[in-house]
Amino acid sequence: MNILILLILQPCLMIQLLDGIMIVEYQFVDYNNIQFTLTCKTQFWCLIGFGSTYSNADIIRMSNVNGLLKIEDTLEQNKISFTSPNVDAQQDIYILDGLINDTYLYSSFLKSTNSDDPTDELIDPYSNVEMFYAINEKNIDFDTYTQYGRFQLQTYQCHYTCATCNGPFAYQCTMCNEKSIQVLNGYCNTNNYNNVTKLLNKQILIKDEFNLEWEYDKNDNIILQIEISLCDWFGLGFNNDKMENTDMLLIKIETVTINNEKGYYVQIDDMFGTKNTAPLSDTQLYGTQDWILDGFVYNNSTELFVIRVHRELVTSDKYDFDFSQKKDTLCIYAFGRNGQQYHSANRGAFQFELSKNKQSYQEDYWDKLVLNGHVILMLLFWSFISDIGIFYGRQLKSYPKYVRVHGMIFLFLSIVTYFFVFGMISQQQKRIQQLQTIQYNKFQLFIYFNNLIKQQLNEPIGYQDTKIILHFILGVVILLIMTTQIFLGLLARNNLESNNGTYLIYKVKYIHKYLGYLLYIITKVQVVIGIKMLYYYQVSAISRKRIKYSQIEQDQQTLYESIIEKLNTGTPYQEMIEDYPKITYIILREAVYDVSDFNHPGGQYIFRKIKGREVGRYFYGSYPIKDTQLHKHSLFAINYIETRYLGDFRNESCPILYTVTDFKKPSHVWTLQEIKSMGTNVSLFKFINQDFKVNQTIQGVQWFGRYFYIKPYGIGIDFQERPYTVVSCLSEMNIKYRYELIEYFKQKDWTKPLPQQPQLSNILQFVIKKYNGQKNLSKFIHTASHKRFEITGPYGFGLELDDHSSGVHYIFCQGTGVLPFLDLCDYLLRKAIFSIMYQDGLPIQQQYNQLDKFKLILNVSSKTQILGYPILQDLEYLNNQFNLNLFEFNIIKQHYTKRDLQDRLKYQAAKVYVCGFQQFEDDLIELLQQCGVDSRNIVQI
């Protein structure tokens, strides 16, 4: 059995059928897939089906056919009796693992929750799923069963931060997607908990070099916080005075320098010493890694690290020490500096005083009480009870004790408000203090945050941040007015009930009355802001659902299917827009949505600009649409469009990535392997992933300009995802091939074998320019030492070329805006070389038949070195030397004017590409339209 898969995708819910003869385990692994593990005590076959009846049911069957395990996606169409189901032509299950032994059949597989196969069941992760099972324990006859029954999946989909959970909301996590992020109060990936604040117990072991703090939490974990001087590695052994048979925690610290800035990378390992030699990892001994890194901080002045980890008191790993007894135990430590692999004299032993434990669990309860009280009571009091108090004070003056009732209501309301408002302020102060020392797992961010804090006052405040600030300011104003109102109310009451009252009572009542009106209005505004904030931060994601036949007309459904089919068969963008003028569809990553019936808050003209386009760059807030501000869409927007899902744009014409194996689902987490500077603030980033092979020489032209989305994996910073284009021609393999091809071309000896084009590697690379800005991914990836990134793609239509594209294509780009076009230029360079060599007698002709009667005119606006310049220079030379009429190249040092463009647009434009900064693109598109270029032929890259 593949243990790695089980660690990553271990189902968290189990149903035992027939007293354990059949066991079904399941969990949602993402929005689109549910993983099942099926174990059957038989040597023949068993199945599970979706639906309340066997007729027309979607069925997964597992069988032993002559010693071969088969897991099949099937469909039963017999409405009268139980018969063997038919195997689906489209197999929509992804087999992860399978096993046959003398007793059981076992399989683990993924099933799509919203397959585009009409015979497959659509699974709603928020509703119970009716299912049935059948098993034959006697023979392989698929038309008969020995036992049959029904059951129900009590199902929901975990929040995206959770690997396993008790419910669909963010606060119901039981295990996080990233193993190094702990669950606290049910939350994962939350900044407030990745901290290194002081713990309750402390031992000073080596003054100024080694201190140990610890604490037990309410989830039966032990938290260790180790303060050590700068070293290469540090080891801690438990319950022994020697290494043999000792459970150990090993901390490795690596110094990382990126772009002349220093950072640190921390890795932890759960180890076990078998002898008085180097210990082995628990996983090498077939145990488990149970220590989890919560965070760390490094103090430059003291050169001390504070590293925080946690682990369950008792684990299932036999190599782990049992902390549950909470008694003193003998421990050892060792460390190495300056490249030392052996600790030498850098070691020692100490008594770990676990019995002297101080602990307090009421803080979590108090925080929840304050938060829930603030939300519920403030909403109830200032939305309804305050109206009752005002009604008594203004309309029931005939009631003898109206003043007292009015006063008591608002006095009680004020006391409760004081309590929960100041409780919230105190709670937020603690979080701010925690954030001052926050560090994220496995990497050091102090460089990044120092720069970020310096820019904080100069950065624009986001919409949600504005609401938080306004909510706080109005809260302070309400407290001041409320305090004044209490004083004025008491003064008015005493004057009304006293025989010695004065005429000043009228002025007091007048002020009290209108100040009350002001308070009433402000509190209503405050309640509305609070509700919006609550909904914004507490709403949970819903799952993607295809629009069902019952929700729309039949002809509309046919129209939707036609859109998906045409997209996936490479129909040009402009033709799609003309064929479906009344359908406003958009593409987000690979998913296609119909938003025709939605009124966009920013104006319907936005849909006119993005119709039919991949909109991730706008949706995720990394790029603004003209005449709009940068805006990262909320979970509301995501939830809405998920209900308008039509299908997937598979991008099969872009074969950049290949999965290494079909036996497991590939991980899209890539490791940053190398950074290579390519100029001022521009670097080449190489990522590696053993689950994929990257095609270095892709046939065809449709893939040019396609892009990937990149974001850091496993941290709590909410970065704006940005699209980055793959530039294959700048890989070392392609640079070497291009050099060899040009040398071959120069020698003109056709008897020699042609240089071989590179094929596959596991390196995916991007050229990224560093920009400053708050939560800016390009700055983060340049300056932080984080190594793991989630990279998905390819997406989009790229340059919208096909094999038969012809005519003159113009490019107007700026700086790094040339990058999406370099692979096209590299292709044209190879096309030119082989065309010339073939005419000169080369007996073998490479297949460069695409883009016949095609010409590219590249205009680059740049005052610095142009990326990929050797490619452009060689292509321009060949074009001019051999009159190929294939390429023109112009370097512009100044801004474009209308006259400049008119001079350069010498030919009828088939397409005009624009790529650069937002203002550059906006101005250029406006000038192009003034020059008579059809807006349908202008493509923003």
Side-chain angles (χ1 to χ4, degrees):
M1 187 181 299
N2 191 326
I3 296 175
L4 177 61
I5 290 175
L6 294 180
L7 287 175
I8 297 174
L9 298 172
Q10 186 176 10
C12 61
L13 300 172
M14 178 187 292
I15 298 175
Q16 293 196 34
L17 306 170
L18 304 173
D19 295 325
I21 292 177
M22 288 183 66
I23 299 176
V24 180
E25 298 174 81
Y26 63 97
Q27 80 162 54
F28 285 87
V29 294
D30 56 33
Y31 291 135
N32 305 311
N33 294 286
I34 182 172
Q35 182 192 344
F36 286 96
T37 295
L38 181 60
T39 307
C40 299
K41 193 173 182 180
T42 179
Q43 286 297 292
F44 302 104
W45 65 262
C46 63
L47 59 81
I48 56 174
F50 299 85
S52 57
T53 63
Y54 189 69
S55 176
N56 293 319
D58 179 20
I59 296 170
I60 309 298
R61 183 177 65 191
M62 177 170 64
S63 59
N64 178 359
V65 181
N66 298 323
L68 178 66
L69 183 67
K70 286 190 175 182
I71 301 99
E72 299 168 302
D73 186 2
T74 65
L75 174 69
E76 171 54 43
Q77 295 178 321
N78 192 316
K79 299 184 179 180
I80 301 173
S81 62
F82 185 97
T83 57
S84 175
N86 299 320
V87 177
D88 269 5
Q90 181 174 326
Q91 291 287 300
D92 292 302
I93 57 173
Y94 194 101
I95 300 170
L96 300 172
D97 207 357
L99 178 69
I100 301 176
N101 62 22
D102 294 337
T103 308
Y104 291 98
L105 305 182
Y106 164 87
S107 67
S108 180
F109 56 88
L110 294 177
K111 176 177 172 57
S112 173
T113 59
N114 50 14
S115 165
D116 55 6
D117 184 347
T119 65
D120 284 348
E121 183 78 10
L122 296 176
I123 301 175
D124 183 353
Y126 289 93
S127 302
N128 294 335
V129 179
E130 298 294 332
M131 298 190 68
F132 60 86
Y133 64 88
I135 186 172
N136 192 324
E137 301 157 277
K138 296 181 178 179
N139 56 55
I140 195 62
D141 184 2
F142 290 129
D143 290 327
T144 61
Y145 58 81
T146 55
Q147 301 197 64
Y148 174 89
R150 295 189 180 94
F151 65 102
Q152 191 179 69
L153 294 188
Q154 303 291 330
T155 183
Y156 44 74
Q157 180 171 316
C158 289
H159 189 260
Y160 72 95
T161 57
C162 314
T164 61
C165 61
N166 293 321
F169 300 106
Y171 57 84
Q172 294 175 302
C173 292
T174 57
M175 187 171 72
C176 302
N177 275 324
E178 172 67 3
K179 285 283 288 182
S180 58
I181 297 179
Q182 73 177 101
V183 177
L184 194 57
N185 297 335
Y187 284 96
C188 287
N189 218 8
T190 303
N191 297 357
N192 304 332
Y193 303 127
N194 283 352
N195 61 74
V196 288
T197 53
K198 295 291 183 182
L199 298 182
L200 296 176
N201 310 281
K202 183 172 183 178
Q203 286 181 247
I204 300 175
L205 302 172
I206 304 177
K207 188 176 181 181
D208 299 328
E209 285 199 36
F210 175 27
N211 298 323
L212 179 63
E213 298 178 12
W214 79 93
E215 189 175 300
Y216 302 118
D217 70 10
K218 66 176 184 179
N219 297 320
D220 292 328
N221 293 316
I222 182 170
I223 306 171
L224 300 183
Q225 193 155 286
I226 304 162
E227 185 180 82
I228 52 176
S229 57
L230 183 58
C231 57
D232 297 333
W233 60 269
F234 179 86
L236 192 60
F238 307 103
N239 199 37
N240 211 333
D241 61 351
K242 55 185 178 182
M243 293 182 63
E244 188 174 358
N245 295 323
T246 301
D247 177 26
M248 296 182 181
L249 167 65
L250 179 64
I251 300 170
K252 298 177 184 177
I253 302 172
E254 179 184 347
T255 303
V256 182
T257 302
I258 300 178
N259 291 352
N260 299 319
E261 294 183 319
K262 187 178 179 182
Y264 297 94
Y265 182 81
V266 169
Q267 179 181 345
I268 61 170
D269 283 304
D270 195 352
M271 311 289 285
F272 188 80
T274 56
K275 301 177 180 178
N276 287 322
T277 56
L280 299 174
S281 169
D282 280 13
T283 54
Q284 291 178 284
L285 299 169
Y286 300 98
T288 56
Q289 286 284 322
D290 294 294
W291 284 106
I292 294 175
L293 176 64
D294 298 326
F296 72 91
V297 64
Y298 176 67
N299 188 318
N300 279 301
S301 59
T302 63
E303 294 190 344
L304 290 176
F305 271 96
V306 182
I307 299 169
R308 183 164 177 158
V309 297
H310 81 277
R311 199 206 80 182
E312 293 179 353
L313 296 177
V314 182
T315 72
S316 58
D317 187 349
K318 66 180 181 180
Y319 300 106
D320 287 346
F321 173 64
D322 182 356
F323 285 100
S324 63
Q325 299 179 25
K326 301 180 181 179
K327 63 180 182 180
D328 294 356
T329 183
L330 186 65
C331 292
I332 56 175
Y333 67 88
F335 55 90
R337 293 193 176 107
N338 303 320
Q340 282 181 313
Q341 297 297 316
Y342 177 63
H343 53 69
S344 187
N346 298 326
R347 61 178 179 171
F350 66 97
Q351 191 76 3
F352 196 175
E353 300 171 348
L354 292 170
S355 62
K356 300 179 181 179
N357 176 53
K358 303 174 186 176
Q359 190 56 33
S360 173
Y361 292 146
Q362 71 271 15
E363 183 176 351
D364 295 337
Y365 172 78
W366 168 253
D367 288 347
K368 286 185 179 180
L369 174 66
V370 170
L371 177 61
N372 293 333
H374 184 87
V375 171
I376 297 171
L377 295 181
M378 294 302 95
L379 176 64
L380 177 66
F381 283 6
W382 291 105
S383 295
F384 305 106
I385 296 180
S386 62
D387 295 57
I388 296 173
I390 291 173
F391 181 76
Y392 258 97
R394 299 298 303 163
Q395 305 300 326
L396 296 181
K397 293 183 179 180
S398 58
Y399 181 67
K401 296 186 178 181
Y402 80 94
V403 174
R404 289 197 175 189
V405 174
H406 174 82
M408 290 299 294
I409 288 174
F410 276 100
L411 182 61
F412 174 70
L413 190 152
S414 300
I415 292 172
V416 175
T417 299
Y418 283 131
F419 178 82
F420 285 105
V421 168
F422 283 110
M424 281 295 292
I425 292 173
S426 174
Q427 192 179 102
Q428 295 305 319
Q429 281 181 328
K430 291 178 184 177
R431 291 183 178 179
I432 291 171
Q433 290 169 358
Q434 289 174 338
L435 285 172
Q436 289 173 347
T437 56
I438 183 172
Q439 299 296 327
Y440 294 89
N441 81 67
K442 298 185 181 177
F443 61 94
Q444 175 60 294
L445 288 177
F446 67 90
I447 299 170
Y448 177 76
F449 277 115
N450 283 343
N451 296 333
L452 195 64
I453 293 168
K454 292 175 185 177
Q455 297 172 8
Q456 186 69 33
L457 296 177
N458 298 323
E459 293 289 342
I461 297 175
Y463 175 58
Q464 296 303 325
D465 296 329
T466 304
K467 285 196 289 191
I468 293 172
I469 294 170
L470 181 60
H471 190 71
F472 174 77
I473 293 173
L474 289 180
V476 173
V477 172
I478 288 170
L479 290 178
L480 293 175
I481 296 176
M482 195 169 61
T483 304
T484 305
Q485 282 291 81
I486 292 172
F487 174 76
L488 293 175
L490 291 173
L491 186 62
R493 175 180 173 274
N494 289 336
N495 270 272
L496 287 172
E497 296 181 357
S498 173
N499 294 326
N500 298 319
T502 67
Y503 70 93
L504 292 175
I505 183 60
Y506 297 105
K507 291 185 178 181
V508 172
K509 289 178 64 178
Y510 183 83
I511 296 172
H512 187 71
K513 171 183 173 181
Y514 287 101
L515 207 56
Y517 287 154
L518 177 62
L519 180 63
Y520 180 82
I521 294 170
I522 294 176
T523 53
K524 298 302 181 188
V525 173
Q526 183 77 323
V527 166
V528 171
I529 294 173
I531 291 173
K532 287 186 176 181
M533 288 171 55
L534 179 69
Y535 192 38
Y536 182 86
Y537 288 108
Q538 296 296 326
V539 66
S540 296
I542 67 172
S543 61
R544 179 179 297 165
K545 299 179 182 178
R546 282 184 297 149
I547 299 177
K548 297 180 180 179
Y549 284 90
S550 59
Q551 296 171 319
I552 54 177
E553 298 295 333
Q554 182 68 38
D555 59 343
Q556 187 83 344
Q557 183 71 36
T558 304
L559 201 63
Y560 289 157
E561 292 172 353
S562 173
I563 290 174
I564 299 301
E565 182 181 359
K566 285 192 174 183
L567 282 172
N568 287 320
T569 52
T571 305
Y573 166 79
Q574 197 57 47
E575 184 179 329
M576 290 288 297
I577 297 300
E578 293 170 357
D579 287 349
Y580 303 99
K582 295 183 180 180
I583 302 293
T584 303
Y585 71 91
I586 60 173
I587 305 170
L588 183 60
R589 294 183 183 268
E590 76 286 348
V592 185
Y593 303 96
D594 176 17
V595 292
S596 303
D597 58 353
F598 178 63
N599 291 321
H600 197 288
Q604 294 303 100
Y605 77 97
I606 289 177
F607 283 144
R608 290 199 301 272
K609 292 177 178 292
I610 63 174
K611 178 181 176 179
R613 298 286 187 187
E614 200 285 320
V615 298
R617 67 183 68 186
Y618 312 119
F619 198 87
Y620 299 129
S622 61
Y623 204 89
I625 299 173
K626 185 181 179 182
D627 301 325
T628 66
Q629 297 295 319
L630 277 175
H631 177 64
K632 182 179 180 181
H633 286 72
S634 67
L635 202 49
F636 313 131
I638 296 174
N639 283 347
Y640 170 76
I641 65 170
E642 293 294 9
T643 66
R644 311 300 300 166
Y645 170 67
L646 306 184
D648 284 348
F649 173 36
R650 299 191 185 94
N651 236 331
E652 291 176 348
S653 61
C654 186
I656 294 178
L657 296 182
Y658 294 92
T659 54
V660 172
T661 176
D662 292 331
F663 296 107
K664 70 168 186 170
K665 187 177 182 181
S667 168
H668 290 278
V669 179
W670 294 69
T671 300
L672 178 58
Q673 185 187 54
E674 183 183 350
I675 303 175
K676 182 180 179 182
S677 177
M678 299 189 69
T680 305
N681 290 331
V682 179
S683 298
L684 177 71
F685 293 82
K686 296 182 180 180
F687 298 90
I688 189 169
N689 187 332
Q690 299 300 334
D691 287 352
F692 288 99
K693 288 293 184 182
V694 182
N695 198 344
Q696 298 297 321
T697 306
I698 307 173
Q699 301 301 319
V701 299
Q702 290 179 306
W703 65 276
F704 294 138
R706 305 287 173 99
Y707 48 82
F708 289 74
Y709 284 104
I710 303 177
K711 67 177 180 180
Y713 178 78
I715 68 172
I717 307 176
D718 187 20
F719 282 100
Q720 297 166 345
E721 286 188 70
R722 290 190 65 90
Y724 290 100
T725 306
V726 168
V727 189
S728 295
C729 63
L730 296 183
S731 71
E732 292 178 0
M733 296 170 68
N734 274 306
I735 291 173
K736 180 175 181 290
Y737 169 72
R738 194 162 48 248
Y739 172 79
E740 292 174 349
L741 182 62
I742 292 173
E743 289 300 309
Y744 184 86
F745 170 76
K746 290 178 180 178
Q747 293 171 8
K748 297 185 181 297
D749 184 357
W750 311 138
T751 60
K752 292 182 178 179
L754 279 166
Q756 293 299 307
Q757 287 185 296
Q759 297 301 318
L760 299 175
S761 77
N762 55 3
I763 300 292
L764 186 63
Q765 61 182 34
F766 302 90
V767 177
I768 300 176
K769 183 174 182 179
K770 177 183 173 184
Y771 295 100
N772 292 321
Q774 187 178 8
K775 295 184 179 180
N776 189 292
L777 176 62
S778 67
K779 180 179 179 181
F780 172 82
I781 200 172
H782 275 85
T783 57
S785 58
H786 189 56
K787 294 189 177 182
R788 303 182 75 200
F789 292 81
E790 182 179 308
I791 303 177
T792 56
Y795 300 119
F797 296 95
L799 305 185
E800 299 177 14
L801 296 173
D802 58 46
D803 292 350
H804 306 292
S805 294
S806 60
V808 179
H809 289 62
Y810 290 90
I811 298 172
F812 293 93
C813 61
Q814 179 186 44
T816 53
V818 73
L819 291 171
F821 310 102
L822 288 182
D823 281 331
L824 170 59
C825 294
D826 181 57
Y827 173 87
L828 294 178
L829 175 60
R830 285 181 275 123
K831 180 181 176 72
I833 290 174
F834 277 101
S835 174
I836 296 166
M837 289 195 301
Y838 183 70
Q839 292 176 9
D840 204 27
L842 180 71
I844 302 173
Q845 183 179 16
Q846 290 277 5
Q847 296 300 314
Y848 289 97
N849 300 325
Q850 301 93 346
L851 302 185
D852 194 23
K853 299 180 181 179
F854 179 92
K855 183 172 184 177
L856 185 68
I857 301 179
L858 174 61
N859 302 278
V860 182
S861 176
S862 178
K863 297 180 180 179
T864 59
Q865 180 182 358
I866 298 173
L867 296 169
Y869 184 73
I871 298 173
L872 307 178
Q873 190 178 38
D874 290 340
L875 178 57
E876 182 184 35
Y877 171 80
L878 290 177
N879 179 81
N880 296 338
Q881 188 72 16
F882 293 92
N883 298 316
L884 299 177
N885 196 31
L886 188 66
F887 181 71
E888 290 184 19
F889 179 35
N890 304 300
I891 300 176
I892 313 300
K893 298 292 185 180
Q894 73 279 348
H895 294 293
Y896 290 103
T897 64
K898 183 178 179 181
R899 180 64 180 271
D900 293 331
L901 292 181
Q902 287 173 335
D903 291 341
R904 296 186 186 284
L905 295 169
K906 297 178 290 185
Y907 312 101
Q908 180 69 32
K911 276 190 176 67
V912 180
Y913 301 108
V914 178
C915 188
F917 288 112
Q918 177 197 356
Q919 194 61 49
F920 172 83
E921 291 188 0
D922 292 345
D923 293 345
L924 200 58
I925 290 172
E926 186 175 339
L927 289 173
L928 288 169
Q929 291 173 341
Q930 291 175 9
C931 293
V933 178
D934 191 334
S935 60
R936 293 175 298 179
N937 295 333
I938 301 174
V939 182
Q940 270 183 284
I941 302 299

